[in-house]
Amino acid sequence: MEQQKKRVFSGIQPTGTFTLGNYVGAVRNWGALQEEYDCIYSVVDQHAITVRQNPADLRRQTRETAALFLASGVDPSKSILFVQSHVPAHAQLSWVLGCFCPFGDLTRMHQFKEKSAKHPEDINGGLLTYPILMAADILLYGTDLVPIGKDQKQHLELARNIAQRFNGIYSETFPIPDGYIPKVGAKVMSLQEPEKKMSKSDTNANAVVRMLDEPDVIMKKFKRAVTDSDNCVRADETKPGVTNLMSIYSACTGKSFEEIEREFEGKGYGDFKTAVGESVVAVLRPVQDEYHRILADKEYLDDILKQGAEKANAAAAKMLRKVYKKVGFLSL
């Protein structure tokens, strides 16, 4: 008898383009992940509106994010790919789970505090309760594993607590999800402030390489990357800029730090930065080509999202029926 694969749920907001850091750390593993696990990928547009969005931009970015999933190796015949707002059960389960989540737990969330400080003019209810929607996203599919970064650990903990509380009251209903720390590539740092992680919200355009940047833009950013006055390519904690470029080059070429040091022995930073930029262009070009091809075929993309929504709705309906029955909702 074939052993059932563990289920992975991953949701990405359709705001801002993925960075090189996102690609190296997570995106390029998506294809491999679906061979080992039963994967559900969602463009979580409902999460995006906790911060005010331009409606036309949000619609466009939702399609673009879905196209990027597909271009990065997500295969709709092996995984489910859908848009969150196409599956009403996310919002429906969120309401029920909210009734099992103490108010104090929500006010303690780091991201609520950070975003409230960042947008004091718009501290809305969604900003407070979106970790409950995130818990619904995860628990709705009986998820076993959730790929998370450090900033999402607290949200996963909340989802686990809600599931345990619900199970304790109504008997076993939700599997308790665990965090999945992907086998990551190197952590990619800012090209301008190499002590800081590369972030898609960075206001300095030269600090961030985005997955959809044109090749000449990528090359310019690497040529402007911060290094030091040493002009020697070696990994060292006193050389954060050079070490960061080496780890990017290593992630793109598979070469070890020792091989990179040998390759650029006696050569200056100019040659090194050019080589790093070219390796990034070479890695991203096939993904960019596929992305533009998919995005140009609106019918094909929408068809995949429709099929994904049908599969997700079918899976979600089972869990929602179970939950509704346990809490005592009348079914007709």
Side-chain angles (χ1 to χ4, degrees), residues 7-131:
R7 177 161 280 178
V8 170
F9 178 90
S10 192
I12 308 282
Q13 287 198 38
T15 48
T17 312
F18 298 147
T19 67
L20 177 65
N22 298 137
Y23 182 75
V24 168
V27 175
R28 70 173 177 178
N29 297 326
W30 287 345
L33 208 58
Q34 68 194 355
E35 302 303 325
E36 205 177 327
Y37 299 103
D38 175 15
C39 292
I40 298 180
Y41 294 108
S42 181
V43 182
V44 290
D45 54 345
Q46 287 172 312
H47 284 292
I49 64 167
T50 57
V51 176
R52 198 71 65 242
Q53 301 290 336
N54 175 303
D57 288 347
L58 183 59
R59 273 189 285 274
R60 175 179 53 76
Q61 288 170 326
T62 298
R63 269 207 184 86
E64 288 171 354
T65 304
L68 211 44
F69 265 116
L70 295 167
S72 302
V74 170
D75 180 345
S77 69
K78 293 177 181 171
S79 302
I80 296 176
L81 171 64
F82 72 100
V83 176
Q84 184 187 29
S85 62
H86 294 168
V87 181
H90 286 253
Q92 291 169 294
L93 181 61
S94 178
W95 172 255
V96 177
L97 298 183
C99 298
F100 293 86
C101 178
F103 179 71
D105 286 5
L106 296 175
T107 57
R108 279 193 290 273
M109 294 284 135
H110 303 313
Q111 287 205 333
F112 173 67
K113 291 175 186 170
E114 281 166 25
K115 287 191 176 179
S116 301
K118 215 172 178 180
H119 301 275
E121 75 296 341
D122 185 24
I123 304 173
N124 57 69
L127 205 54
L128 180 70
T129 59
Y130 90 94

Side-chain angles (χ1 to χ4, degrees), residues 17-19 23 27 68 72 209-213 284 287-288:
T17 312
F18 298 147
T19 67
Y23 182 75
V27 175
L68 211 44
S72 302
V209 175
R210 299 184 189 280
M211 277 183 70
L212 299 174
D213 279 347
L284 293 181
V287 180
Q288 292 179 350

